[in-house]
């Protein structure tokens, strides 16, 4: 008896970005701000690159939680944007679920702030409705490591798969030959070490 | 086949506070004292706010373990209070179990000191009797991280869900519109970063 | 040849609280928020308890830096309050320096946000003018530990003494007999472990 | 459908101490030596206190691995002592398994050095034969935390329960009234914080 | 009902070394370089010592990823060597899978860089095809601990077993008597503490 | 007797960027790559913003050390650029020292890779010649924390002042009124938390 | 010009144990309890072994601070024992200073709880009076690492030397030939790794 | 007034390797064994490469401390080798000091085990006699970080300079042109990241 490998398929995946708001971001203390910003933007670039349907949602953005990070709003001008009037679990918002179902995708890639609420609640709801859920752990942040570990444990126990943006990109792309330059650019823009490798390499080969 | 999401329901949940005693608290070294105190009081405020039936229990409080933290005693003057004569696992105390069953609730929210004993033992017993168990990981403390991780592993393997007080509050509240001010006050009193967001916000909007 | 011990004297000390503003506090990531809030309030209580002249100052409080933390404003209603129009080093503000000199004190106790700027700059300026400077390291916060260590090194090299609020309180008080209850209350309110000791003790002695 | 709680029963449990040898102990770097020594001796005292059948085994003790820690040898002079001629997994040694089966116990409490080999191998073998296995995580040591986490994951996935010596003692004892002084002494000897609580308490009560 | 122990069998195991390339290694930051290099070479020596069929594969080695670490190339001159033209998941490369199946082994020991991609993808594919998978966690590296923990969680949830090279060696060897000197040499070459034990021992016994 | 405050003066300061090369950067492991890249670029922006004379130098850039990070080359197209033919201590290179002396500045701000060599050696040489030296600790990187602490200790003992880029910017700017927008932009581009504060603030004030 | 080495001389040194009380010990969180207890007892054994005059003092031992740790009281039955009526800085107590001066020693070895108060205050006072001060850093404890580092910085800046008990023992003993067995026993009793080395060694040599 | 830069001069430096013995090495827990072994061997290679006079010394090598690490003995067959009969501070051994003075060097590079004794004592003695002392912090090990920091503080306060082997090599070499290949080989053998850079580079340039 074998397990089946739930493998990301770029034709069957959608991205949900939940509550990356300027106020809420000040609560995130389990990942350094420089790294976290980079991870969230990398995930956004990834969604754009693979043309994954992307859905934005916010909680109370006219209050202390603050507006959605402007970079995300700018990057997905045509994406469904659900400013929830009060529901904490985005899945409790009908528009949000409708937008997801409208994509026709069965694999949901979820990231948000804070992990144990804005990510975990819709992740658990989606799993309960039969979706495959891929949590982007490094583009989701929360108060501290203890909270993060609790949230991961709850989601993983319910069947969510924990991934990071780099793994997502690689699993979606499958083969470098599909587009070397595109994937390389994504990595170069968000992985300083990889950028350095590419610079060293191109400098040397250009000097030939 | 889908998993079902065991979601907290404020009409079906009770809180068990186990052995938060002044002596035992000196054993807690996996969480900083300032943060731990805040977490425990936040959980108490949450229980009060959502009017969850709450049950207090202590172990040998006339000995070195010390009395229950006075703040908890003061906050729940009418709660069942079971000073156990010797049972280490609170579930072995008939009065404790009776008090729980008297609430008629099936979702048990448990926190205590120390995690691997005062929390894990009744959690495992409750799971074995068919209750849903939600461990409040950040309001439960123990000797060190190695011990905590072992205890979490044991409870999680048996079906307990690991949560923190903030996630509990959000899952119980469901929708900000149920009471913005009440939940906001709870957060403001126990999350300094959130309090700061609220102060910045109200200062700016009041200055308009 | 012996060194001389620069010992705090409650009749010769003033407290400077620099830029504990709600926006700037979101930059503090070298100390946990729960602990940091407690430390700042403990320092404020200490200043009140020892009747030390206290001076408040803020930077751009109508902008993103946000207002002074309301608790501090409330606790020192009659203290000199210098909302600096632009000077980053508070010592560059004449009103601030005048307020300090008006106290007639030669020992300056400084805390603020962020450590390497709002604390270090006036500390270095004060040292250069011959004041004794006591930095309250645990009521001062900054971006990360690397920054903190750099700032401590610079201040210590220039002659500042690094202390924490508890040490300050003890050195100012000198002898428990001056007021057991007052100091005990200060500790009980800000050191959970000490509060527990006191509760255990009083419970036992009262039960006699 | 409920899970069943595999609860330790002092009448059905045996302790296996695997390869706590003076040479191998220099490999243990995931727990501080002072704490690790204390944990191992606490486990030994616990086994003695609860009169649990205890089995000692070593690997190549005449070579670099070194002899069994003398304290263990002295504490269990009549315990089965299997100096394995070469088997790395103690369960591959017939005498070891025979000794276990001779106890008639179905709950095996295992600790040893190093965790991923001397503990994990017999733990996995015992689980495969239907025993309940309780790994004493804080009396088992290995090279580093990465190795430890891998080993815990493997054992837990196979059904082992991760516990620490304090939890074991509490679950075995069940009720303080069975013997307050005995359990108190065990704790006092191996938990400095608990010893301090007891000293404070007895000093105060004796002074009445 | 008992679990069955999936125990490594040197006659049924193959080793897959995936993308240990000089460029990619600069991405590894969850393990110190000195330790990581040692772990990878230890795994290589282990494969050689136990005569396990070993398969090497690389990704884009003429680009920035860089060539395979020369030590590995030199140690396995006759091993199948699959320089993948683009497939990110090595299992998507037919030659790679053919080489594995040609060994006739059902237990796959996998290590590589980076963990969540080069290790996790083929591990999940292999599990889905019914192989037993043993991930060598300490010879696999990635960007940081958060990424590592996510990857471990995903692989473990799918049935992979997490091991380290030392545990692998011990489980494969089974009994020291099969070859004391060979295993001892492997340990002495890759575990400084063990080497020191052996030196102390042999110096003392030779001095007799 | 008072110490004098060596305060940065934008009219008397020059910036030295030493060996931020793509190959050498793979050696930096005491700061996360995302944060380190941000710090270096922030320092570059700071130098540009304050119009500080800036000098670039590299070591063996045609070999494995790799070329200067392209961003730095692009940002300072007219800066003196000394590709050292072999001197490890940049101060041993006459052109480098000449370029520094040509600026006429007496305050040297130094950052580089690796800290204990490329930063510490010229820092010590400059101190010995009477310059004031300000080490940018967070834009300088090395192998690990132990190395960093050793290097800091050596430089600090010789009189260097340890600062971070944010402190530098604040001490150079002196007063927000000199240019609120310019400094704000610098912070917004390199401090995610500050950017969020500014976004929340401007959103709220614009919505009035 | 050379510095002079302030070297410990067993004929010129006294030991001051300040406030190792059962209540105060619950405040110590910068060192693990098992290790801290061991360090304090090691220092006591060292004082006994080298026959150093030892002075005990406590603060408010009839209140929440609790009594002196009984082991210390038992080990130094004839030592001056100053239960201070209120002075926080032990040096403010005349009896304490008289007891020190009565020893005629000029080198003071100080340990206590908490570091920044009970150790730092008398250390600074003693330095100011011309004594040489050796702080036993690992037998002194406090709230957290931030506090410890501040306290060390203050004491070190004033001329105190920071040592640990093992270094003290070695500097006092000077030459193993003065008494191999005595020093070896001290180490064996308080350094598990050393004890293991001795056991391995003696087992091997006895087996010859 | 300027400080003078105490710069290492390969014609004026000697290396002292103190007590790197197989037993004592099991006490070293502030640096990982893989890294520590590499650092010590790198220092040895550095001494050989720069032809620095090197002096070996051991303490009680026939007892539990164990013999000198064989690699060091083999690498310096003709070096003065002082097996001290009992002196703990190597400087108390006349032969050791004579051997040092016979070299005629004034710059002493010291490494050893354990840092606060075997390194600090001779370092302090040498400083007191007017030598320049360079402590190799990463080739010196001890019980834990608290001990290391205390030892560094004591040595640094007395004038010792804290360096690591890589900084030493660079300061001794001065200019790559003195011997590119020699220094490159030293780095390649002891810095995995540097080796990878060199492999990538040479592969690319050879492929031209």
């Amino acid at each position: 008896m074998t397990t089946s490998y739930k493998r990301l398929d770029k034709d069957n995946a959608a991205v949900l970005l939940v509550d990356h708001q300027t106020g809420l971001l000040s609560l995130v203390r389990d990942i350094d701000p420089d790294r976290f910003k980079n991870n969230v933007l990398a995930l956004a670039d990834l969604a754009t690159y693979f043309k994954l349907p992307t859905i934005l949602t916010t909680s109370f953005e006219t209050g202390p939680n603050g507006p959605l990070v402007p970079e995300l709003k700018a990057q997905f001008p045509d994406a469904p944007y659900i400013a929830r009037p009060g529901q904490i679990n985005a899945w409790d918002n009908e528009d949000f679920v409708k937008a997801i179902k409208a994509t026709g995708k069965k694999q949901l890639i979820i990231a948000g702030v804070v992990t144990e609420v804005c990510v975990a609640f819709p992740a658990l709801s989606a799993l309960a409705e039969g979706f495959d859920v891929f949590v982007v752990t490094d583009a989701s942040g929360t108060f501290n490591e203890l909270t993060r570990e609790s949230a991961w444990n709850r989601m993983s126990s319910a069947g969510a798969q924990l991934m990071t943006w780099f793994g997502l990109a690689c699993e979606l792309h499958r083969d470098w030959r599909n587009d070397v330059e595109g994937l390389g650019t994504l990595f170069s823009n968000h992985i300083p070490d990889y950028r350095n490798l590419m610079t060293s390499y191109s400098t040397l080969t250009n000097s030939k």
Side-chain angles (χ1 to χ4, degrees), chain A:
Chain A
M1 189 184 67
T2 64
T3 62
S4 88
Y5 171 17
K6 288 191 183 173
R7 192 173 183 177
L8 278 165
D9 173 357
K10 68 183 171 186
D11 296 325
N12 195 23
V15 173
L16 315 181
L17 299 179
V18 186
D19 302 353
H20 290 96
Q21 296 165 253
T22 57
L24 292 176
L25 283 164
S26 79
L27 305 179
V28 174
R29 288 170 181 274
D30 66 326
I31 309 187
D32 269 339
D34 293 327
R35 191 196 288 179
F36 189 61
K37 181 184 176 184
N38 181 47
N39 290 343
V40 172
L41 297 182
L43 176 59
D45 282 354
L46 172 165
T48 300
Y49 175 68
F50 289 108
K51 300 190 175 61
L52 304 182
T54 299
I55 297 166
L56 305 173
T57 182
T58 58
S59 163
F60 261 137
E61 65 175 63
T62 58
N65 292 352
L68 185 67
V69 168
E71 287 89 341
L72 293 182
K73 204 177 282 186
Q75 184 150 356
F76 302 101
D78 304 323
Y81 183 109
I82 292 97
R84 307 193 306 280
Q87 303 95 342
I88 294 178
N89 181 345
W91 205 268
D92 286 345
N93 182 293
E94 286 189 13
D95 295 335
F96 183 71
V97 176
K98 268 188 207 157
I100 291 166
K101 293 190 174 168
T103 67
K105 311 302 184 190
K106 282 299 182 187
Q107 298 183 327
L108 302 183
I109 295 166
I110 309 183
V113 170
V114 295
T115 312
E116 76 277 25
V117 173
C118 307
V119 179
F121 292 179
L124 293 167
S125 293
L127 287 164
E129 292 206 16
F131 289 85
D132 288 339
V133 171
F134 302 81
V135 173
V136 196
T137 54
D138 58 351
S140 302
T142 188
F143 299 99
N144 49 56
E145 299 203 356
L146 185 152
T147 301
R148 175 171 77 199
E149 288 167 20
S150 300
W152 284 18
N153 183 290
R154 194 183 190 206
M155 292 190 284
S156 171
S157 297
Q161 299 196 52
L162 308 184
M163 295 190 70
T164 48
W165 77 261
F166 182 76
L168 284 173
C170 290
E171 194 156 294
L172 288 162
H173 199 61
R174 299 271 170 108
D175 195 311
W176 275 95
R177 289 167 298 185
N178 290 330
D179 176 12
V180 173
E181 196 175 324
L183 195 66
T185 300
L186 181 67
F187 292 171
S188 176
N189 285 345
H190 294 291
I191 307 174
D193 285 328
Y194 209 85
R195 188 187 199 84
N196 289 333
L197 288 177
M198 290 174 72
T199 302
S200 290
Y201 173 76
S202 65
T203 302
L204 259 184
T205 49
N206 290 340
S207 72
K208 285 203 275 197

